[in-house]
Amino acid sequence: MSLDVVKQMVLDAGMGYLATCDADQPRVRAMMPILKDDGTLLAATFPHTRKVGQIAKNPKIEICFVDRKLSHCRIEGKAVISQDMALKEELWNKQMMLRQFFSGPEDTNFILILIKSTKISMMNVGDRDYAEVKIGQGSRL
């Protein structure tokens, strides 16, 4: 299975469910990231959300996407909060929903969550186990 298949699933699902750690309690919320060719996820948030503090304390995350056929993928990784303007512009140009929340990539309330994937697993309907997806094998969609 290739990263292109996962990228298409992320596009089709539109929404993923990001899990962070809050001491010994997992916390999950809906997010709308994009998945880059190298397996990196980019997502936007506001600066004073709980997830920003949770990522600062423990950068390990997992995000799950489910498509309309109920196939799903799980992406494990490490998240950092970034102000990289080039990446913010890339996310802004690819994720149109951000326009409902921010005035542009330079908006001081637009915080970038940069997630470096460490493991990607996918399961299609009818499969009995996850297939691991090699990171870095994608091409441009």
Side-chain angles (χ1 to χ4, degrees), residues 12 18 37 45 68 79 82 84 93 97 110 115-116 125-126:
D12 290 347
L18 176 70
D37 291 332
T45 193
R68 287 172 266 170
S82 173
D84 183 305
N93 291 328
M97 292 295 290
F110 180 171
I115 301 167
K116 293 286 188 182
V125 172

Side-chain angles (χ1 to χ4, degrees), residues 1 70-72 74 121-132:
M1 189 160 313
L70 301 180
S71 295
H72 64 280
R74 296 169 49 190
S121 304
M122 187 163 173
M123 184 182 294
N124 291 305
V125 172
D127 290 350
R128 293 181 183 241
D129 203 358
Y130 287 94
E132 190 163 341

